[in-house]
Amino acid sequence: MPRAVVLVLDSFGIGSAPDADKFGDQGSDTLGHIAAACARGEADTAGRSGPLMLPNMAALGLFHAHRDATGSVAEGVNLPEQLTGAYAHAKEISSGKDTPSGHWEIAGVPVRFDWGYFLDKTDSFPLELLDTIIREAELTGVIGNCHASGTEIIARLGEEHIATGKPIVYTSADSVFQIAAHEEHFGLERLYALCETVRELLEPYNIGRVIARPFIGDDRESFARTGNRRDYSVEPPSPTVLQKLADAGGEVVSIGKIADIYAHCGITHKVKASGHDALMDATLAEVARTANDARDRSTMIMTNFVDFDSVYGHRRDVPGYAAALEHFDARLPKLLAALNDDDLLLLTADHGCDPSWEGTEHTREYVPVMVRGAGFAPGPLGERGTFADIGQTLAAFFAVEAMEDGESFLPNAA
């Protein structure tokens, strides 16, 4: 039975999308600007130096896709003469540049409606909403109530949070309500319960996600977020390819935050992992497990590598992003060796987060589509008019009901 492995390199954009100007992102280029910084020696650290080296993704067509998206080859890069994968650059048609919109569109369901947002940089949340949260969650109050970077606001308000017991609430340019609290002083389960309460109260506001942001540490110098983050998303507006596969009796394995992003819809087996090495280890383990099974049902394994976004993109850490890409690339051969020729491997991203860009938010960019196996011949697949082409391709691969959006690029697909 068919098996697909889908890896989402969270925030790994490859150049400004055609509508980037509407988002203030014209000229953004996550991959291109990282490569340029590396080529100029601006990303040299004790752990890495020199031009950006991604030989395995390059062989899958990464830099060819970037060239096609931007019109030029990334600085310091020599395009490989021979490719082992098929490649494309895909643009987003969803209304936002957030994580749920990107992932849902990847799964064949673009977001055509407008999310609700909290646009005010300070006093971001309506007072009546905060008063209701405080009352229903039996809190003494909240602190924060602004747009902020997660690590910055924890460093700034973490000690006050511990002293007062008031959770830190904040938002961003995304449709999101984030709550940070100390795992020991406030309690992890209490934080989760608070997020569930807020999720219900936000229904009239059409907010995409509530995110629990637990942290540990004793003071601003030692505070650190943990791997116990949890996202509380609304359900996709129509069945994704994940749901269609699960409904047809297939196995859908989520690794990392994938299950949360899809509000657990269409997930048959959830694997928790945090950090890129743990996420890759879990992916390899699931590949091995499903290979050893009788393979009597179709299987999709989907992993989100979130640290590209949360640890490096949002924090505008160019050297860190470069090093993380190189480390991820170095681990790919083991995954490639574990797959069968008829398996489908697909690497993509959900949006951009250019670490050289102003501010700390996502950037509206093309994303790469790199494919290997399942009859794909190495070479170009062209510009994809929507991320939903990926979902449509997966629907064709698994022979489930076609998606309403997207065009399949599966070889010999009807």
Side-chain angles (χ1 to χ4, degrees):
M1 299 295 285
R3 180 174 66 167
V5 177
V6 180
L7 307 183
V8 181
L9 284 66
D10 202 307
S11 85
F12 191 37
I14 57 170
S16 297
D19 61 354
D21 59 317
K22 298 178 182 178
F23 297 82
D25 294 332
Q26 186 62 42
S28 60
D29 183 355
T30 300
L31 172 57
H33 289 152
I34 293 171
C38 291
R40 298 167 188 167
E42 298 168 2
D44 291 355
T45 65
R48 73 151 315 276
S49 62
L52 185 65
M53 301 297 293
L54 306 174
N56 298 300
M57 284 194 285
L60 292 174
L62 171 62
F63 291 110
H64 286 75
H66 175 262
R67 177 203 60 192
D68 291 352
T70 64
S72 60
V73 177
E75 192 171 340
V77 170
N78 294 315
L79 295 180
E81 295 182 2
Q82 292 187 328
L83 296 176
T84 60
Y87 63 89
H89 57 292
K91 64 182 180 182
E92 186 170 11
I93 61 173
S94 293
S95 59
K97 54 179 180 177
D98 53 276
T99 293
S101 294
H103 279 77
W104 295 359
E105 188 168 330
I106 287 169
V109 182
V111 175
R112 301 189 185 281
F113 57 84
D114 289 327
W115 293 110
Y117 297 93
F118 298 110
L119 299 177
D120 293 335
K121 301 295 184 181
T122 58
D123 297 323
S124 301
F125 304 118
L127 182 60
E128 61 180 358
L129 172 62
L130 293 180
D131 286 343
T132 304
I133 292 170
I134 290 168
R135 181 179 66 254
E136 295 207 7
E138 300 182 347
L139 302 171
T140 58
V142 297
I143 55 177
N145 189 18
C146 60
H147 281 227
S149 160
T151 52
E152 177 275 328
I153 200 169
I154 289 171
R156 176 162 55 89
L157 297 179
E159 293 177 3
E160 180 181 352
H161 158 68
I162 292 173
T164 64
K166 298 176 181 179
I168 304 167
V169 299
Y170 62 104
T171 188
S172 69
D174 284 353
S175 180
V176 65
F177 190 114
Q178 304 198 68
I179 308 175
H182 198 282
E183 284 196 0
E184 298 167 358
H185 293 280
F186 190 85
L188 185 60
E189 294 304 321
R190 186 184 178 199
L191 172 60
Y192 291 159
L194 171 59
C195 288
E196 291 173 2
T197 297
V198 174
R199 175 71 276 170
E200 293 180 4
L201 295 175
L202 284 174
E203 184 174 350
Y205 296 87
N206 196 30
I207 301 301
R209 285 183 297 168
V210 176
I211 304 179
R213 292 287 197 177
F215 65 98
I216 56 174
D218 300 320
D219 52 40
R220 62 177 299 130
E221 301 300 325
S222 61
F223 289 145
R225 296 195 297 199
T226 74
N228 291 319
R229 162 183 170 160
R230 186 171 294 179
D231 293 34
Y232 298 81
S233 300
V234 297
E235 294 187 2
S238 61
T240 66
V241 70
L242 285 70
Q243 291 169 268
K244 293 188 177 188
L245 178 57
D247 290 346
E251 181 174 19
V252 180
V253 180
S254 75
I255 301 177
K257 72 175 196 173
I258 289 294
D260 287 349
I261 294 170
Y262 291 101
H264 299 261
C265 297
I267 307 299
T268 64
H269 180 55
K270 177 182 175 181
V271 178
K272 183 178 179 180
S274 178
H276 282 185
D277 275 331
L279 288 161
M280 183 61 82
D281 288 343
T283 304
L284 290 166
E286 288 303 306
V287 168
R289 179 184 67 80
T290 54
N292 292 330
D293 285 350
R295 296 291 296 273
D296 57 353
R297 60 176 175 165
S298 300
T299 301
M300 179 163 69
I301 300 168
M302 191 172 190
T303 308
N304 174 283
F305 291 84
V306 66
D307 286 1
F308 289 125
D309 185 50
S310 63
V311 177
Y312 306 111
H314 283 300
R315 298 186 194 181
R316 298 304 190 243
D317 181 356
V318 175
Y321 207 134
L325 284 170
E326 291 173 337
H327 184 69
F328 174 88
D329 189 82
R331 297 212 61 188
L332 271 180
K334 190 171 183 179
L335 175 60
L336 294 171
L339 295 173
N340 301 319
D341 290 341
D342 57 351
D343 289 330
L344 172 62
L345 174 65
L346 194 152
L347 284 73
T348 190
D350 55 341
H351 49 70
C353 197
D354 187 339
S356 72
W357 207 242
E358 59 185 359
T360 62
E361 306 298 343
H362 296 155
T363 43
R364 184 77 161 189
E365 298 185 49
Y366 285 109
V367 300
V369 180
M370 296 170 278
V371 189
R372 177 168 162 170
F376 278 92
L381 296 169
E383 178 178 312
R384 311 312 305 183
T386 165
F387 296 1
D389 286 4
I390 297 171
Q392 194 71 272
T393 300
L394 290 167
F397 178 69
F398 289 118
V400 298
E401 180 187 14
M403 310 303 298
E404 294 185 4
D405 288 277
E407 180 179 343
S408 172
F409 47 83
L410 189 71
N412 302 318

